[in-house]
Amino acid sequence: MKPRHDQYVYRHANGLCVIGLAPSHVAFKDEGGITAIDFNVGKSDRSGVKVTGKRKKNAQHFESNTALCKVSTKNDSYIVRCCVKGSLLEVNQQLIKQPELLNASADREGYIAIIMPKPADWLKIKASLVSFEEYKKLREVS
Amino acid sequence: MVRQDGYQFDSFSLEVSIPPLILQNEASLWSYMQSKYGSEPWFREKIHTGCVSIKDALKFSLINPLEKLLDCKSSLCPFRIRLTYTHTKASEGVAKCSDNGGSCKRRKTGESDSIGEGTLSSSVEDESFDFSKLFPKSENEPCNFSYNCSRTPFYFGGRYLKYSRNVSQTRWIIDDERMGEASVEEIIGIKVLQACGGDNYKFHAAGREDIDVRMLGPGRPFILEVQNTRLVPTEQFANDIEKMINKEENKLVRVNNLKLVGSDGWNLMREGEGEKQKQYAALVWTSRPLKDEDFQQVSSLKDLKVAQRTPIRVLHRRSPLEREKIIHWMKMETVAGSSQYFLLHLCTQAGTYIKEFVHGDLGRTHPSIGSILGCRAEILQLDVTDIKMECFLT
């Protein structure tokens, strides 16, 4: 992960992880904030996959450093990564038409994707993630 | 033996199971007689008037002594006595059948004994196979005999209310730890099971609510299936159990209108389960103070269509789908001393996720209370106040 490309991983009790941009992500510092998002990165368009059924058939399996999407500002673009190894269940399609959701509420309606890691994979990655308390101290966010 | 188990009954139904070897011998005997006497008129006549099979003959000879012993009549009834005769020698006919290859039909069943019977009966119909070739061997070993008795399941129907926010509907255990302090199915099921001496129960309800949601109003319809009861439950019995459950000190669950139901109970409960409307009361917090216009705006929405993507909290075990649901009406009630907390009463289509309708589930349920009011909304408490179904109301 490049420095200052801060992302959040919100883990539900059922194991699912919601991935998104943390408020201190460098993209928000650009003038005008984020203007567009593109899920067509790497080898496939992440917004095109249809996951079906209880067993989540057709879900793509990604590593934690796999590219999830690309967000663009007026002058620059940034790669957003999965952060967690697992199956990609869905991406937030709303962002394509309304990228301003990322600027307004990146931690809720502006979420980027939902990933389902295997319990073992979660335990492995957990250590490299930073808790909310530690994050606040590191970034001096109140 | 029947008394030992403590069964209460006033009639019984007899079932007899005999080894395939006997069936095979019977069939070969018939086949032989068919070929030898088939043309004789007395034989033909016999076939027309019907002959008693070995199994039926055994049953007839056993029923009368049993009736005298148990001091009651035999009839088609829930209490079953099953006598199973088995023999160590497997059926020879089966081996011969498999040699024959194509002319035998093989039916797929789980137990090997049934396969023996299955191939045998289909072979008996298959005239080309000459059974007379299989001569009944004289047997010196007697059959092995075993018996057991059981009752067909009884069904109780009623409505349950849940007053606790820490009781799940069904037993819920994660990693050997129970979630919540009890479950509705155990509270009702264990009492009924003990009272009528059954082996086990199965709890079926018309829908469900979360562990932290109270079930109020007339209650939720349910059917409790009890297997192999030792006593015979009556209407009075159902009344007594209902009182016993409701007298519990901790008042977690209440049962109304508990009674015995027949097979029609299922139809009543399943009928229109998807169309029935449900009514709720929710304690909601909003990120900005609300005004009269907001209240009116919410009340004015009738039959509001809501698109709900599978909530994140259940997405791990349910299909990712978008389901359209209808909110029939809504009414907001103020909470004393606050302009940011209020009570939301709403009536929705069956299958609507209420919590997600309030907080929006990160925008995956649209519209939501938050999106309608243009602010953030969170749900603090939820009660089910009515289930508009007609069954088990008396």
Side-chain angles (χ1 to χ4, degrees):
Chain A
M1 295 288 290
K2 288 194 183 150
R4 296 282 155 173
H5 280 49
D6 298 340
Q7 295 178 217
Y8 66 73
V9 175
Y10 290 156
R11 185 174 191 270
H12 191 281
N14 60 22
L16 297 187
C17 296
V18 178
I19 314 294
L21 300 180
S24 56
H25 194 284
V26 63
F28 294 123
K29 304 212 169 65
D30 285 4
E31 199 195 323
I34 296 177
T35 52
I37 188 168
D38 186 9
F39 284 104
N40 197 357
V41 296
K43 294 186 184 140
S44 62
D45 187 349
R46 317 310 190 201
S47 65
V49 184
K50 286 264 172 282
V51 176
T52 53
K54 283 186 201 167
R55 302 259 171 257
K56 314 298 181 276
K57 221 165 62 151
N58 297 342
Q60 294 181 294
H61 301 284
F62 290 142
E63 298 292 326
S64 56
N65 61 358
T66 311
L68 197 49
C69 67
K70 191 171 67 179
V71 294
S72 311
T73 57
K74 201 159 74 165
N75 304 315
D76 228 333
S77 71
Y78 308 86
I79 296 282
V80 175
R81 301 195 183 268
C82 292
C83 296
V84 178
K85 176 178 172 184
S87 312
L88 178 66
L89 296 190
E90 76 174 48
V91 299
N92 190 355
Q93 306 266 4
Q94 287 290 99
L95 293 177
I96 301 175
K97 292 204 189 90
Q98 297 180 281
E100 58 272 15
L101 287 171
L102 282 161
N103 300 317
S105 63
D107 64 334
R108 292 168 61 88
E109 281 78 11
Y111 80 95
I112 294 191
I114 301 179
I115 293 186
M116 183 167 78
K118 293 205 186 94
D121 290 335
W122 167 252
L123 290 173
K124 279 189 213 150
I125 197 81
K126 195 172 158 189
S128 62
L129 300 174
V130 156
S131 79
F132 192 43
E133 294 306 317
E134 288 170 61
Y135 164 78
K136 285 197 283 194
K137 282 194 212 134
L138 283 169
R139 292 287 180 245
E140 283 141 47
V141 174
S142 67
Chain B
M1 147 276 296
V2 161
R3 305 226 183 277
Q4 233 178 328
D5 246 353
Y7 279 100
Q8 175 200 24
F9 57 93
D10 50 16
S11 77
F12 68 91
S13 167
L14 183 67
E15 290 169 6
V16 172
S17 157
I18 56 180
L21 187 59
I22 295 196
L23 287 176
Q24 174 208 316
N25 286 345
E26 183 180 13
S28 75
L29 205 60
W30 260 111
S31 192
Y32 173 74
M33 290 183 69
Q34 182 94 11
S35 54
K36 185 157 184 196
Y37 301 118
S39 38
E40 304 276 345
W42 63 263
F43 188 75
R44 293 253 172 87
E45 206 187 297
K46 242 321 188 294
I47 294 193
H48 283 305
T49 54
C51 271
V52 181
S53 73
I54 291 187
K55 189 176 189 175
D56 288 338
L58 183 61
K59 255 181 124 165
F60 288 147
S61 64
L62 287 172
I63 277 195
N64 270 337
L66 266 177
E67 281 184 343
K68 288 210 182 70
L69 261 176
L70 299 171
D71 195 25
C72 62
K73 285 273 167 226
S74 133
S75 66
L76 208 57
C77 77
F79 184 52
R80 303 275 158 87
I81 297 182
R82 184 177 190 89
L83 307 176
T84 310
Y85 295 88
T86 53
H87 202 276
T88 43
K89 225 187 181 130
S91 169
E92 279 188 11
V94 182
K96 294 265 182 337
C97 267
S98 48
D99 291 347
N100 230 345
S103 64
C104 271
K105 290 167 234 154
R106 290 217 137 218
R107 258 191 279 146
K108 260 194 269 182
T109 47
E111 301 165 19
S112 53
D113 229 14
S114 325
I115 291 182
E117 285 195 32
T119 33
L120 215 47
S121 40
S122 53
S123 320
V124 168
E125 274 118 51
D126 189 358
E127 303 257 323
S128 59
F129 188 77
D130 192 359
F131 261 90
S132 57
K133 295 215 181 84
L134 291 171
F135 287 122
K137 305 240 168 62
S138 64
E139 257 323 312
N140 295 322
E141 273 176 52
C143 283
N144 299 321
F145 171 71
S146 71
Y147 58 83
N148 88 326
C149 39
S150 63
R151 203 184 307 266
T152 51
F154 272 96
Y155 300 92
F156 292 90
R159 292 231 182 186
Y160 76 81
L161 276 73
K162 181 164 86 83
Y163 296 121
S164 163
R165 292 197 191 282
N166 196 18
V167 170
S168 56
Q169 190 195 64
T170 54
R171 213 157 78 103
W172 188 12
I173 299 189
I174 297 183
D175 292 336
D176 290 338
E177 246 190 84
R178 172 198 284 279
M179 309 301 285
E181 67 181 274
S183 74
V184 176
E185 77 164 352
E186 284 169 295
I187 290 177
I188 300 177
I190 291 179
K191 280 256 166 15
V192 173
L193 197 68
Q194 281 172 348
C196 56
D199 282 346
N200 47 52
Y201 64 80
K202 280 190 201 152
F203 183 80
H204 314 269
R208 53 197 172 167
E209 64 283 330
D210 288 342
I211 188 172
D212 59 347
V213 174
R214 291 191 301 182
M215 180 66 241
L216 308 173
R220 187 181 296 276
F222 72 90
I223 287 183
L224 186 74
E225 176 185 336
V226 191
Q227 279 149 2
N228 209 9
T229 58
R230 299 301 191 274
L231 301 178
V232 178
T234 58
E235 284 307 327
Q236 184 56 47
F237 179 81
N239 283 340
D240 294 340
I241 295 194
E242 181 184 321
K243 290 201 185 79
M244 203 165 56
I245 294 174
N246 294 338
K247 263 217 294 244
E248 276 293 304
E249 254 183 49
N250 51 23
K251 296 265 183 271
L252 300 171
V253 168
R254 184 190 165 81
V255 173
N256 286 340
N257 313 323
L258 188 69
K259 57 179 197 257
L260 285 168
V261 295
S263 50
D264 57 319
W266 291 107
N267 298 334
L268 280 173
M269 213 171 71
R270 298 292 170 218
E271 180 197 317
E273 218 182 351
E275 290 116 47
K276 293 311 177 190
Q277 297 179 9
K278 318 274 165 94
Q279 213 167 302
Y280 304 87
L283 181 61
V284 178
W285 169 87
T286 48
S287 57
R288 68 164 172 84
L290 295 185
K291 295 169 273 197
D292 280 339
E293 298 92 77
D294 300 310
F295 283 57
Q296 272 161 34
Q297 188 199 4
V298 165
S299 308
S300 69
L301 296 166
K302 301 289 178 207
D303 291 331
L304 174 71
K305 287 206 187 112
V306 171
Q308 296 198 295
R309 289 169 71 184
T310 307
I312 296 179
R313 63 185 169 98
V314 300
L315 187 54
H316 63 295
R317 61 178 167 78
R318 289 200 75 185
S319 290
L321 289 173
E322 191 168 272
R323 300 175 179 86
E324 192 182 87
K325 293 293 169 191
I326 298 181
I327 314 285
H328 295 289
W329 55 257
M330 289 187 279
K331 216 178 63 179
M332 280 172 25
E333 198 185 305
T334 49
V335 168
S338 172
S339 56
Q340 281 180 255
Y341 287 91
F342 61 92
L343 222 56
L344 173 69
H345 298 275
L346 62 163
C347 178
T348 73
Q349 182 182 2
T352 311
Y353 285 94
I354 307 300
K355 293 177 180 175
E356 275 69 19
F357 173 64
V358 173
H359 62 62
D361 196 32
L362 305 184
R364 297 165 79 260
T365 287
H366 184 78
S368 65
I369 290 288
S371 72
I372 293 170
L373 295 173
C375 65
R376 210 181 119 183
E378 299 289 346
I379 184 168
L380 297 154
Q381 283 186 336
L382 181 62
D383 289 342
V384 187
T385 51
D386 196 1
I387 298 205
K388 299 190 194 300
M389 280 175 82
E390 273 144 32
C391 58
F392 310 152
L393 279 175
T394 50

